[in-house]
């Protein structure tokens, strides 16, 4: 059992959690578990059912995908404040890439099934969590588009 | 720009002097030749063109005062007959009548169409100014220059006998000097008059003109009289000045179709169409049918129409130019831009009628300057006089060492060179060549105590040859050239250096300078993005800077293998969480153009002021000093006016594809 | 549709609401064409010309006057039912006319001030254009209408084409006629830039500024012209008078009249 005050303090240091209403922060703090990952630890496996969403508090995670002929490619890194495992709250619930810690990390991790159930029944929670998930996904979409443009193309 | 038959040298040289009191002899001679004389005369508070019986009908001793939406007559202190400029009438009225029956149809007896083709009136135009001759020449192109021609215009135009008058006065709405149409008359007349103190200096410009001049009670002018005629017109040119910069205007206007000023001017414009009616070149017409009640006779009239009419571009399905700003834009861009495409000249002669006769005081000169202002020259101090600037002359430098930065990029250290190179500034470049290899522009990436570093990607023959050099080899350099980073733009602010790929090279010297003067800036940071970790330049320096407290370094790569522990994501993701007040950021950005565009867009959306974003452009360069023309970018030479530009120096040019 | 060659003469009615009959007189003033007109049209109703009454239906109904009294409501609807083509003639029918100024005033107070027994006077608080009540097929503008526009409309009906009634600024007729602009050259007030053409620039031809009796042309920038006149030194009261003169209730003049009316001091009110 985590000390909620500590978890809420952690949330307040992330863009994802900082502006949430106090009761929503408390709800998330109760749902989540503060978890540490060691460097090189695989947090989520690409292609597997998504079982957790997390908010990275410190450290760095790499989103990796297996590209035939090129091996494992890091397509993006997750920096403190950002989320990972968003696919666990979107239909399909299948991980789009592997999430690997590149250094030791701390994150608030929420079980996917519990989060989905909570979002279904608590509309206030859903109304504040989904826009942020969308913002994060939208930002990745924009970054991916720029990657497709190949800014450094030669 | 206007083509008119120039008078022969002999005719131009043969001048006569006609006393002012004898001008009637000219009018009489014109009338005796079977012509009605149309000239300036006062009616309803303005000088209009109408039939005149004698010189007594001319506005002797009057002058006009004109400004936007304002016209008044006033007495002169002398009795000059042409001491004013152009009024509300233009000669268009007499060669292209405002209301003309172009065909009639009858139903009585046999059905048919008749085209009235009366003999054109035999008119003499007295007092045609230089801008008006230019307007007639433009109408010639419009009506007679294409596959289909206006026969009525042709008949009236060729019947007209033209007595031109050079302007010896100007008004506030004149801008012929800008349009290249006046005040001097160059051909296109039968007789030319220049009014001086006591009378007229007269020249004939056609055989018909010469015949009439020969019969006048004229004598040869004195040198003083001929000289006065030239001086007076020159004085008018000086008085008008060049208020509207025309070079490049046609092209600039085409890039300003979305300018918000169109909507602003449309708020004022009442769409009365007076500008188009007063304009001596506007040629749009409407065709109107009329018929009598028993249906036996029908006629088709052609009226002067105006593109300001809300129905002008309407079809059954709607209006192509539905908004007032669409119509204003259509008119102005036609006059000053698309007319050139259609007829080879601008549609404006600078007579100023559209300005004077606009009841809501709209001045096209002001609108053009606001919508498509001329590109102001980039004014930058010269860091140091370059050595061996002209192409072909080179200063010799020795290669001290070559260091691989990435798979295809090397830093070539030069030494034993002219000390001027060491006094160059970060952002500048040199042209470097080897025997048998053409010179290429390379940014100076570092200034050392005994030379400079050039960081070169091996992509072409010269750059590949340069990266293959051994220490001790010699090369030819010219420079340092171009503009440099305005480091003072970041004093007291957050200095942010944004580099993409090899773009870090021209920024390296800037980072060194920022670090060396660290206390002048609020913060100093470097955001560096490359495609992969292996593409990072200056890895030793990056590590050194990252370890220093003087500068924050954030590096990101687009993609990486599992061994890369650093950040992955495009360079713009580094802006997401900039902790500072972005209005206090000065950003220096270099990278491939697409990366710079994405970065500039990202910085502006975060609130960085566009005039505090400085970029370095890359273009093909052959000479490096603004003579070869290769690096031209819409009015700029990147080599001479750049390569370092403030974003607002470039304006619309940045982010435009294909410039 | 009666066209050339057909023997049936179109039945024409002229109807009148609140108006001065000036437009009807314009028809009678077409002396040279009157015989031609009556030989081609069967004029069955014309209060200014004949007391003969004839029930509908009619091919053309010319309507003069604005809708200003309660009984007008039913009358105009009945006329519309009887008319194949309904044409409004004049400023009153097309825009409400001068009497539409009451739309900004206290109608009851006016009525009480003017009439001994106001309770005997049946009148509406507003004077409104015909087009506010029924569909109008064509408008002949002006106070009064222009004879040639009327002839053109009649001719067009006979020939079976759309009448050529241009909607352009009066300035354009002025410029084609070579009239010097009195606004620019003499600093005088003129409604030409915002007023629709059709009068052949009648007032400017005689050296007077346009009074705007033909009303606003489509899309007229009345706001800018109101500013322009005031910038040229015309006091707001005078600008109000110009816009309020004949077609005050026609947008966009209506907005200018409302805006300037709000600024101007309240009128002294009618006296007994």
């Amino acid at each position: 059992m985590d000390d909620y005050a500590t978890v809420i303090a952690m949330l307040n240091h992330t863009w994802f959690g900082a502006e949430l209403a106090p009761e929503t922060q408390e709800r998330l703090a109760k749902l989540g578990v503060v978890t540490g990952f060691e460097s090189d630890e695989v947090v989520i496996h690409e292609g597997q059912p998504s079982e957790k969403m997390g908010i990275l508090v410190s450290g760095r995670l790499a989103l990796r995908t297996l590209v035939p002929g090129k091996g494992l490619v890091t397509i993006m890194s997750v920096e403190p404040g950002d989320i990972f495992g968003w696919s666990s709250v979107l239909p399909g619930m299948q991980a789009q890439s592997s999430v690997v810690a590149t250094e030791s990390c701390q994150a608030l991790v929420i079980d996917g099934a519990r989060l989905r159930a909570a979002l279904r029944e608590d509309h206030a929670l859903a109304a504040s969590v989904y826009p942020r998930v969308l913002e994060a996904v939208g930002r990745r979409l924009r970054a991916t588009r720029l990657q497709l443009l190949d800014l450094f193309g030669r | 720009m206007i083509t008119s038959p120039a008078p022969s040298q002999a005719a131009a040289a043969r001048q006569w002097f006609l006393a002012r009191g004898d001008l009637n002899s000219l009018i009489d001679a014109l009338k005796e030749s079977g012509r009605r004389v149309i000239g300036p005369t006062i009616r309803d508070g303005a000088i209009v063109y109408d039939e005149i019986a004698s010189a007594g009908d001319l506005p002797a001793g009057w002058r006009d005062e004109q400004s936007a939406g304002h016209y008044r007559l006033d007495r002169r202190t002398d009795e000059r007959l042409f001491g004013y400029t152009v009024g509300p009438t233009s000669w268009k009225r007499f060669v292209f009548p405002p209301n003309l029956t172009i065909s009639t149809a009858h139903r009585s007896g046999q059905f048919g169409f008749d085209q009235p083709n009366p003999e054109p009136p035999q008119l003499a135009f007295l007092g045609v100014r230089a801008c008006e001759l230019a307007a007639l020449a433009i109408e010639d192109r419009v009506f007679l220059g294409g596959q289909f021609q206006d026969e009525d215009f042709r008949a009236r135009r060729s019947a007209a006998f033209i007595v031109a008058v050079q302007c010896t006065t100007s008004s506030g709405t004149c801008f012929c000097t800008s349009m290249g149409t006046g005040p001097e008359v160059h051909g296109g007349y039968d007789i030319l008059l220049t009014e001086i103190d006591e009378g007229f200096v007269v020249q004939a410009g056609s055989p018909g003109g010469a015949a009439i001049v020969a019969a006048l009670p004229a004598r040869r002018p004195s040198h003083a009289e001929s000289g006065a005629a030239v001086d007076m017109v020159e004085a008018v040119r000086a008085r008008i000045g060049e208020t509207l910069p025309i070079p490049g205007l046609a092209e600039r206007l085409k890039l300003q179709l979305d300018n918000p000023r169109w909507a602003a001017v449309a708020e004022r414009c009442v769409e009365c169409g007076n500008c188009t009616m007063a304009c001596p070149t506007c040629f749009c017409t409407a065709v109107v049918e009329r018929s009598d009640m028993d249906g036996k006779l029908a006629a088709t009239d052609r009226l002067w129409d105006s593109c300001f009419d809300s129905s002008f571009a309407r079809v059954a399905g709607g209006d192509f130019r539905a908004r007032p700003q669409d119509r204003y834009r259509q008119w102005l861009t036609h006059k000053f831009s698309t007319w050139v495409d259609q007829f080879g000249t601008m549609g404006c002669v600078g007579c100023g009628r559209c300005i004077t006769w606009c009841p809501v005081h709209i001045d096209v000169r002001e609108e053009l300057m606001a919508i498509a202002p001329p590109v102001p020259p980039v004014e930058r101090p010269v860091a140091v006089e370059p050595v061996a600037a002209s192409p072909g002359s080179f200063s010799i430098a020795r290669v001290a060492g070559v260091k691989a930065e990435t798979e295809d990029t090397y830093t070539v250290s030069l030494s034993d060179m002219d000390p001027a190179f060491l006094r160059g500034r970060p952002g500048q470049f040199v042209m470097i060549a080897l025997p048998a290899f053409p010179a290429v522009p390379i940014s100076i990436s570092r200034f050392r105590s005994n030379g400079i570093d050039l960081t070169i990607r091996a992509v072409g023959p010269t750059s590949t040859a340069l990266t293959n050099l051994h220490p001790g080899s010699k090369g030819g350099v010219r420079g340092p050239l171009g503009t440099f980073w305005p480091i003072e733009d970041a004093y007291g602010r957050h200095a942010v250096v944004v580099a993409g790929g090899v773009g870090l090279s021209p920024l390296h010297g800037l980072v060194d300078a920022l670090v060396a003067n660290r206390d002048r800036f609020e913060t100093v940071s470097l955001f560096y993005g490359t495609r992969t970790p292996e593409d990072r330049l200056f890895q030793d320096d990056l590590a050194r800077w990252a370890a220093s407290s003087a500068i924050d370094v954030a590096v990101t790569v687009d993609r990486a293998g599992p061994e890369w522990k650093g950040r992955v994501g495009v360079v713009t993701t580094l802006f997401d969480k900039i902790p500072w007040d972005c209005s206090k950021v000065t950003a220096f950005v270099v990278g491939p153009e697409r990366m710079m565009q994405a970065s500039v867009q990202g910085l502006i959306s975060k609130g960085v002021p566009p005039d505090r974003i400085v970029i370095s452009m890359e273009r093909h360069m052959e000479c490096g000093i603004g003579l070869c023309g290769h690096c031209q970018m819409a009015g700029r030479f990147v080599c001479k006016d750049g390569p370092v530009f403030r974003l607002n120096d470039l304006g619309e040019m940045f982010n435009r594809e294909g410039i | 549709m009666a066209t050339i060659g057909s023997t049936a003469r179109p039945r024409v009615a002229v109807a009148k609401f609140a108006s001065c009959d000036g437009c009807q007189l314009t028809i009678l003033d077409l002396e040279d064409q009157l015989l031609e007109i009556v030989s081609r049209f069967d004029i069955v109703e014309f209060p200014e010309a004949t007391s003969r009454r004839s029930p509908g239906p009619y091919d053309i109904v010319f309507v003069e006057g604005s809708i200003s009294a309660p009984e007008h409501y039913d009358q105009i609807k009945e006329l519309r039912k009887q008319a194949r083509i309904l044409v409004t003639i004049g400023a009153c029918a097309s825009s409400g006319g001068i009497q539409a100024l009451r739309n900004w005033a206290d109608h009851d107070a006016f009525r009480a001030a003017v009439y001994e027994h106001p309770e005997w006077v049946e009148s509406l608080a507003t004077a409104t254009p015909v087009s506010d009540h029924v569909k109008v097929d064509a408008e002949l503008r002006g106070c009064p209408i222009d004879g040639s526009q009327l002839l053109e409309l009649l001719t067009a009906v006979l020939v079976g084409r759309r009448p050529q009634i241009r909607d352009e600024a009066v300035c354009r007729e002025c410029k084609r006629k070579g009239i010097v602009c009195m606004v620019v050259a003499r600093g005088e007030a003129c409604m030409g830039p915002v007023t629709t053409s059709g009068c052949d620039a009648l007032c400017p031809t005689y050296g007077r500024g346009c009074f705007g009796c033909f009303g606003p042309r489509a899309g007229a920038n009345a706001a800018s012209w109101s500013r322009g006149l005031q910038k040229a030194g015309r006091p707001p009261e005078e600008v109000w008078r110009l816009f309020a003169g004949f077609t005050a209730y026609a947008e966009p003049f209506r907005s200018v009249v409302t805006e300037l009316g709000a600024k101007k001091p309240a009128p002294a009110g009618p006296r007994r």
Side-chain angles (χ1 to χ4, degrees), chain B residues 256-279:
Chain B
Q256 293 300 330
L257 298 182
D258 306 321
N259 195 301
R261 180 90 179 195
W262 299 116
V265 69
E267 288 271 301
R268 294 168 63 200
C269 176
V270 287
E271 299 197 281
C272 57
N274 286 352
C275 45
T276 56
M277 299 287 111
C279 177

Side-chain angles (χ1 to χ4, degrees), chain C residues 60 72 83 86 95 112 124 133 142 147 165 169 174 178 204 213 221 225 263:
Chain C
I60 311 175
H72 292 168
L86 189 143
S95 74
L124 293 170
H133 306 277
I165 294 173
C174 248
C213 75
N221 191 346
W225 190 232
K263 286 182 196 161

Side-chain angles (χ1 to χ4, degrees), chain B residues 406-423:
Chain B
T406 70
E407 194 183 0
D408 61 357
T409 305
Y410 298 82
T411 293
V412 177
S413 298
L414 300 178
S415 60
D416 297 321
M417 58 199 311
D418 192 299
F421 287 97
L422 309 186
R423 294 201 301 274

